[in-house]
Amino acid sequence: MPRTHKTLPRLFLDAPLMQGGAVALDKDQTNYLLNVLRRRSGDAVVVFNGRDGAFLAAIEQLSKKTVGLSLGERTAAQTAPSDLWYGFAPLKSARLDYVVQKATEMGAGIIQPVITRHTQLTRINLDRLRANAREAAEQCEVLSIPRIDDEIGLRELLATWQDIHGDRQLVFADEGEEAASPVAALAAIEGRRIGLLIGPEGGFSDDERELLRAQAFVVPISLGPRILRADTAAVAALAVIQSIIGDWR
């Protein structure tokens, strides 16, 4: 989308948006605008809700502790949500936040934690993941916030993949694959619905790799001659998918 009003703060609002409308902000958003960003009545922001596009809005001080927005012109039409599924073995603390933020920036439409044998973290705070996706969308002019699905075990994911995802191909970064460019493997599935699976630190176990490679819908790729950290591998794999068969072309 064009970088219209790029210097203005952007807010995601779970409310209908239309030119000439008005929206009251909740306590957290009011605090963010007034106390974190130091904005005042009359200042401009850009708002979006994932359905109606982006709108220019003006801050209105409704009371000492309440802020509303009056909606002006639409600055961007709503984009279609991405169909790119991204699954990852959860990492600890800040690195978990990082991978969700970067997946949002890189155009993932569905994000799902996948529990593997070597997964470091098994209790997932989905509200925190959703907040990270929302904040990344606000900062990067993404208009459709990815859906965050409940965590699932790897074996259950594979057993139910075709029932849930149909003919979607599942690309997985296989550190056991001979080092090579992923271009040919990805080009061969151009035009298909795509999922990407990134394993944990330490990689998939041998039996997990065998199980993955035994599935007809799984496409193993190499990410080059170096062993990458899981969060680095996520960004690298999303970049090659988007550049070869995705929306960077």
Side-chain angles (χ1 to χ4, degrees):
M1 62 176 287
R3 300 195 63 200
T4 308
H5 304 297
K6 63 183 179 181
T7 61
L8 298 179
R10 297 176 78 250
L11 282 180
F12 172 81
L13 302 177
D14 188 14
L17 302 177
M18 65 182 69
Q19 187 169 347
V23 180
L25 299 186
D26 62 26
K27 179 180 177 181
D28 290 340
Q29 290 171 323
T30 295
N31 179 68
Y32 177 66
L33 281 182
L34 298 186
N35 300 321
V36 178
L37 298 183
R38 303 292 184 182
R39 304 288 164 156
R40 294 294 177 259
S41 184
D43 288 347
V45 297
V46 174
V47 296
F48 66 106
N49 63 2
R51 303 184 299 274
D52 301 318
F55 288 79
L56 189 64
I59 298 173
E60 294 183 346
Q61 189 86 36
L62 302 179
S63 70
K64 186 176 181 180
K65 294 185 177 181
T66 307
V67 162
L69 299 176
S70 58
L71 303 180
E73 64 174 314
R74 189 167 77 164
T75 61
Q78 181 62 42
T79 54
S82 169
D83 186 53
L84 176 59
W85 180 92
Y86 168 63
F88 68 102
L91 305 170
K92 291 182 179 178
S93 61
R95 293 174 63 201
L96 177 60
D97 298 341
Y98 174 89
V99 295
V100 172
Q101 292 163 4
K102 298 311 167 188
T104 302
E105 293 177 35
M106 297 293 291
I110 307 162
I111 298 175
Q112 186 167 25
V114 178
I115 308 303
T116 69
R117 177 171 297 178
H118 297 151
T119 295
Q120 299 175 355
L121 187 69
T122 56
R123 297 185 64 183
I124 314 299
N125 185 336
L126 293 177
D127 287 339
R128 178 168 176 163
L129 300 191
R130 293 182 178 115
N132 274 289
R134 183 178 66 250
E135 290 168 7
E138 289 175 339
Q139 293 171 6
C140 299
E141 300 191 15
V142 174
L143 289 181
S144 295
I145 295 178
R147 186 181 83 217
I148 308 293
D149 284 347
D150 292 342
E151 66 267 25
I152 188 171
L154 176 62
R155 292 182 182 277
E156 181 183 355
L157 175 77
L158 297 178
T160 60
W161 181 265
Q162 291 177 304
D163 291 336
I164 295 173
H165 296 280
D167 64 353
R168 186 190 301 274
Q169 301 293 286
L170 179 60
V171 175
F172 97 99
D174 183 4
E175 62 187 29
E177 185 81 352
E178 183 178 351
S181 168
V183 171
L186 292 176
I189 55 173
E190 183 174 3
R192 307 286 294 276
R193 299 169 66 222
I194 301 297
L196 169 66
L197 178 63
I198 299 293
E201 296 294 341
F204 294 103
S205 66
D206 289 342
D207 60 315
E208 288 172 336
R209 287 186 62 248
E210 290 178 7
L211 181 62
L212 279 160
R213 296 178 71 93
Q215 310 305 314
F217 54 83
V218 168
V219 180
I221 63 168
S222 166
L223 291 177
R226 290 165 293 279
I227 298 298
L228 304 178
R229 281 174 40 148
D231 45 349
T232 306
V235 176
L238 285 164
V240 296
I241 286 174
Q242 294 290 44
S243 61
I244 296 169
I245 58 174
D247 61 12
W248 286 11
R249 294 171 298 165

